Amino acid sequence: MSLTSKIKSRMRAVQGWVTLCFGRATGNQYLESKGMAGRTGNNLRQRSGKIRKMFKR
């Protein structure tokens, strides 16, 4: 993964975390589920980049 894609992925994960916390604080289940989905998807994206890098060696 390039540096820019790593930064974008990390920012999306942070955005998902903020959305999740905001949804919990306000009691909004839609925001809470959207934040959890965003965190999960971006964590998978980060892990796939690490796995690709491991197999390149």
Side-chain angles (χ1 to χ4, degrees), residues 8-27:
K8 285 180 184 178
S9 182
R10 181 65 64 181
M11 289 302 295
R12 287 183 189 139
V14 169
Q15 183 181 11
W17 179 255
V18 169
T19 306
L20 172 70
C21 290
F22 188 73
R24 284 184 182 167
T26 59

Side-chain angles (χ1 to χ4, degrees), residues 5-52:
S5 63
K6 286 181 185 178
I7 292 171
K8 285 180 184 178
S9 182
R10 181 65 64 181
M11 289 302 295
R12 287 183 189 139
V14 169
Q15 183 181 11
W17 179 255
V18 169
T19 306
L20 172 70
C21 290
F22 188 73
R24 284 184 182 167
T26 59
N28 190 337
Q29 291 180 350
Y30 175 73
L31 284 178
E32 189 175 347
S33 63
K34 190 174 180 179
M36 183 63 75
R39 284 186 56 218
T40 305
N42 288 307
N43 286 339
L44 287 173
R45 190 175 291 129
Q46 288 175 358
R47 291 189 200 291
S48 68
K50 289 179 182 179
I51 291 171
R52 268 190 245 128

